[in-house]
Amino acid sequence: MNTHHAFPHPLGATLTPDGCNFSVHHSSSFPLSLIIFNDDGTYNEHPFTEEYGSIKYTFIDNITKDTAYGFKIIQDKKALLLLDPYAKALKNTPHYDVPYTAEQSWVLAQSLVVDDTFDWQETPKPMISRSETILLETHVKGFTLLNPKVDTKVRGTYLGLADPANIAHLKHQGITSIQLLPVAACMHEPHLLEMNMVNYWGYNPISFMAPDPRYARNDAVTELKTAIRELHKNNIEVILDVVYNHTAEGGDGGVTFNLKGLDQDYYLHHHGKYTNYTGCGNTLDITHQPSLNLVMDTLRYWVEQYHIDGFRFDLAATLGREYDQFNPNNAFFKAVAQDPILQKVKLIAEPWDIGPNGYQVGQFPDGWNECSDKFRDTTKSFWRGEQNYLKSMATRLMGSRDLVSASRWPHKLPVNYVSYHDGFTLQDLVSYKERHNLANGEENRDGHGDNRSDNYGVEGPTDNPRVIALREKQKRNMVTTLLFSFGIPHLLAADACSHTQQGNNNAYCQDSDISWVNWDLDETALEFKRWLSDMIQARQTHMVPVINAFSGTSRSKQKVAWYTPEGSNMTHADWHGAESLCLHLNIYDGTKELLILINQSNIPTRFELPKPKQHSRWSLVCNTQHTQVTSKHAVVDYSLSPLSIAIFNAE
């Protein structure tokens, strides 16, 4: 042991040529010591020789990469091993037999010393602009496990993401950014362990820095970095879904993995009990300095050491909490805004939690893009045929400027979506009226009740060609609305393959073919996959220039007009009860123009088209009645089929 080389920052295990520094925040009453494991499973116990405020630290000579370690406390007269909150890798995949015991902790809580050195081969980060970003949400395992084109040795792993077949699929679809469901090590909830199930989605973190060993063949750290490097080589960004609102330690009476044993104030408390604004038993208290440090340090680590391009924050309203109130000017947002590392990455908020004042859509600071549940609900309700949604649909098409001014675009463009991991897939939105979650073991009580879905006459799969055709058109309607609205489109990876979760809208515990993307596509699914690829390209060609022109200070030069099908300007009265309209977007008085025709009615509607400013005719980009993206021309009028949307371009 050499105290001369010990240092308090950074926290965690920091490898040097001489050994390793171990540092941890500790303010609980439980005595703390360092445990270093030998290769044969025996261990040595070391005291922390130095203190700096609440930080305990020491330096151990001759420690090398992959050395296992942990922090020992005495709790209830038992020796409990704690997992380092700053652990960069775990020796074992997190799992235990309920109830959790001190004896089990000595296996579960072993962290590994990591050498951060990695050959990035001078690969630049893609740096995709927000207006060009196409987000694809996916699960590491479920995305590639059943893909027959992916090498069998890497299916369902980090390396599977970098497989040439997977990258070819992403590029062909036009995806710019994949958003990975949580890859930070996750612990399964006790009730799932008792049912021999898992938290498949990963929203129950046991460690904020360590990639989950579940998705690695051998070395999670190196394999995840390799996947990111190869995706970057192909100009594809990697966004991480991160969970900083709670941890896997649960609430009152829950287990102790690390934070509870080190400092009770990591979590919010009300009257001596854990505050549960997350539905997971506890709520991380970001007003507590060590908690804020932990979040900020881990975010920077992902960016600096994994070259992550951005983050999607689960229940992000929690991060802005000052107990019962949300404050967009709180310390966390200020810390992120001034951080030279985090200033450069995308920040996406799920702008709510379940606590008081938890719904904060539109309230996040500049630099944060927010998921728009209003876009989701309006789009689904409108195309399902619900009346009096036309005005709301127009608002969502134009980027929800009732929530965020276009003066704050593109850095505040909403993240628009129809399907997300929590809810029905796109295929199930048009195939099921009711959720079917019995496989989750909660008697179908879990999951959203308000799905705004329809089955069009048959619940679930059908061979009826009329029903299939209507379902496919409704899928095209919702995706076209998504891609030709102002915002950042968010797609679910399973939707490109028309994947069904068999009506399960809360598949968080389904590590099964319910969640694994089915790549065995029939002709209908292949047709939709081709159509989606063409539509994403059409968005990049036709919609992105419009978004850029309508953003920031240049927006005042652009023109928006709303027309009735007869070609007259929409009046106040027209907005009530109408089922069809025409949106005319005009850049720089005719440099580029778009028309969006919408017919929600059950009969064909003939539209009188406005004359282009500088061109003789309009060119049809798509009509959702058809399965091809086209370039046909129209002159002065156009007949749009029932329940359809058409896009025209002139430039």
Side-chain angles (χ1 to χ4, degrees), residues 189-245:
E189 291 86 341
H191 78 277
L192 293 177
L193 292 172
E194 289 174 340
M195 293 189 294
N196 198 30
M197 299 174 76
V198 299
N199 187 317
Y200 172 74
W201 286 348
Y203 289 93
N204 203 38
I206 191 173
S207 174
F208 292 141
M209 264 186 200
D212 201 309
R214 285 187 289 176
Y215 313 126
R217 296 184 65 204
N218 298 299
D219 179 348
V221 172
T222 301
E223 292 171 27
L224 177 55
K225 289 180 179 180
T226 300
I228 295 167
R229 182 188 66 199
E230 298 309 303
L231 288 162
H232 281 180
K233 285 181 180 179
N234 288 275
N235 207 38
I236 299 171
E237 293 182 321
V238 179
I239 311 290
L240 292 190
D241 198 330
V242 289
V243 184
Y244 290 114
N245 54 78

Side-chain angles (χ1 to χ4, degrees), residues 289-341:
Q289 188 67 54
S291 297
L292 177 61
N293 291 353
L294 176 60
V295 173
M296 294 298 296
D297 290 345
T298 54
L299 288 172
R300 277 191 299 268
Y301 182 75
W302 284 115
V303 176
E304 291 184 301
Q305 299 301 330
Y306 284 82
H307 293 200
I308 290 300
D309 302 287
F311 302 95
R312 180 264 188 190
F313 292 81
D314 179 64
L315 299 183
T318 300
L319 299 174
R321 278 198 174 277
E322 294 171 356
Y323 292 89
D324 287 351
Q325 301 301 318
F326 175 86
N327 180 6
N329 295 307
N330 80 346
F332 171 70
F333 294 128
K334 295 293 187 183
V336 170
Q338 63 77 45
D339 190 285
I341 303 300

Side-chain angles (χ1 to χ4, degrees), residues 417-598:
Y417 65 100
V418 175
S419 50
Y420 228 92
H421 65 271
D422 52 344
F424 280 147
T425 64
L426 184 65
Q427 185 65 41
D428 287 355
L429 276 174
V430 298
S431 304
Y432 295 90
K433 269 191 174 180
E434 307 295 337
R435 67 188 181 216
H436 297 265
N437 297 355
L438 284 172
N440 296 354
E442 299 181 45
E443 300 180 350
N444 208 37
R445 294 188 302 266
D446 61 308
H448 276 298
D450 182 18
N451 294 292
R452 308 191 187 202
S453 60
D454 203 346
N455 62 20
Y456 302 99
V458 181
E459 186 77 351
T462 180
D463 294 327
N464 186 317
R466 182 191 63 81
V467 174
I468 292 172
L470 180 54
R471 287 177 176 180
E472 290 300 306
K473 183 165 74 168
Q474 290 290 58
K475 286 162 58 179
R476 294 193 295 271
N477 283 334
M478 287 187 279
V479 171
T480 301
T481 305
L482 175 67
L483 293 176
F484 279 85
S485 295
F486 286 84
I488 299 171
H490 168 287
L491 300 164
L492 192 63
D495 291 344
C497 296
S498 299
H499 177 75
T500 174
Q501 292 182 170
Q502 303 165 36
N504 194 318
N505 73 350
N506 189 37
Y508 79 103
C509 57
Q510 292 301 321
D511 191 358
S512 68
D513 58 3
I514 289 176
S515 297
W516 305 334
V517 176
N518 179 11
W519 292 85
D520 183 15
L521 309 186
D522 60 20
E523 185 54 40
T524 300
L526 283 170
E527 189 173 57
F528 180 78
K529 184 171 177 283
R530 290 191 292 265
W531 175 88
L532 177 59
S533 176
D534 291 342
M535 281 298 293
I536 290 173
Q537 180 57 53
R539 172 194 162 84
Q540 301 294 49
T541 301
H542 301 298
M543 190 65 194
V544 169
V546 175
I547 292 175
N548 289 334
F550 274 80
S551 298
T553 56
S554 67
R555 72 193 187 283
S556 60
K557 301 176 184 179
Q558 321 313 332
K559 296 181 176 64
V560 179
W562 301 92
Y563 297 107
T564 66
E566 295 76 23
S568 58
N569 289 314
M570 293 279 287
T571 66
H572 179 75
D574 290 328
W575 286 105
H576 298 280
E579 295 180 299
S580 303
L581 59 72
C582 171
L583 167 60
H584 182 194
L585 300 170
N586 177 10
I587 299 178
Y588 304 127
D589 202 26
T591 301
K592 185 172 182 62
E593 300 176 74
L594 278 183
L595 279 184
I596 300 177
L597 310 185
I598 296 177

Side-chain angles (χ1 to χ4, degrees), residues 614-628:
Q614 297 181 15
H615 309 88
S616 61
R617 59 186 179 180
W618 293 99
S619 176
L620 178 65
V621 175
C622 80
N623 178 341
T624 56
Q625 177 68 19
H626 310 296
T627 59
Q628 294 84 31

Side-chain angles (χ1 to χ4, degrees), residues 388-410:
N388 299 316
Y389 268 91
L390 192 67
K391 189 173 182 179
S392 179
M393 173 58 76
T395 302
R396 302 309 149 214
L397 281 169
M398 290 303 299
S400 299
R401 290 187 290 181
D402 57 332
L403 300 172
V404 179
S405 168
S407 66
R408 301 170 74 192
W409 295 352

